[in-house]
Amino acid sequence: MFEPLTWALVALSLAAMVFAIVLAVLDKRINWTLLAILAVVEVGLLAQLVIGIVQLAGTDRDVSGVFFVGYLIGGLIVLPLGALWALAESSRWGAGALAFACLVIPVVEQRLHVIWTT
């Protein structure tokens, strides 16, 4: 795993989560700034998918490839689904759902780290 990318994804997703929580508390819908942050995270997750698959193919370590790639793909899917939910929901709960989706990313990153290192 490429550690700097992992830490950047965790930091950006947590920042987006805080932003979404603030919007939910203020009873506002998500905005373009938050979507731009999520787009950056999504591009990073896509890069991580490619890097992870390349590293998995080139390693001789005992890594569960199915779980590893599954978590990489799962992390890539979570934010778009959360964003769609947030755009469809006109109340504060849309931003709350997106905040939860942003929280999933650090959990997925931690799980990827565990799978890769054990």
Side-chain angles (χ1 to χ4, degrees):
M1 291 287 300
F2 186 59
E3 293 284 329
L5 179 59
T6 299
W7 286 109
L9 290 172
V10 167
L12 278 173
S13 64
L14 289 176
M17 180 190 74
V18 170
F19 191 11
I21 289 171
V22 168
L23 290 176
V25 167
L26 296 175
D27 199 17
K28 298 196 182 269
R29 295 190 66 167
I30 63 171
N31 56 28
W32 288 107
T33 305
L34 182 55
L35 289 175
I37 295 169
L38 294 177
V40 171
V41 174
E42 194 67 20
V43 168
L45 289 169
L46 184 60
Q48 186 179 43
L49 173 71
V50 172
I51 292 168
I53 290 173
V54 168
Q55 286 182 338
L56 182 63
T59 190
D60 58 349
R61 301 166 70 186
D62 185 28
V63 177
S64 176
V66 173
F67 286 117
F68 187 72
V69 173
Y71 275 103
L72 286 171
I73 293 170
L76 195 61
I77 293 171
V78 167
L79 287 181
L81 290 176
L84 285 174
W85 188 351
L87 289 170
E89 178 65 45
S90 61
S91 70
R92 72 174 59 188
W93 297 110
L98 187 56
F100 183 77
C102 291
L103 180 61
V104 169
I105 298 303
V107 174
V108 167
E109 293 299 319
Q110 189 275 336
R111 186 67 184 130
L112 282 167
H113 179 72
V114 168
I115 292 171
W116 185 257
T117 58
T118 57

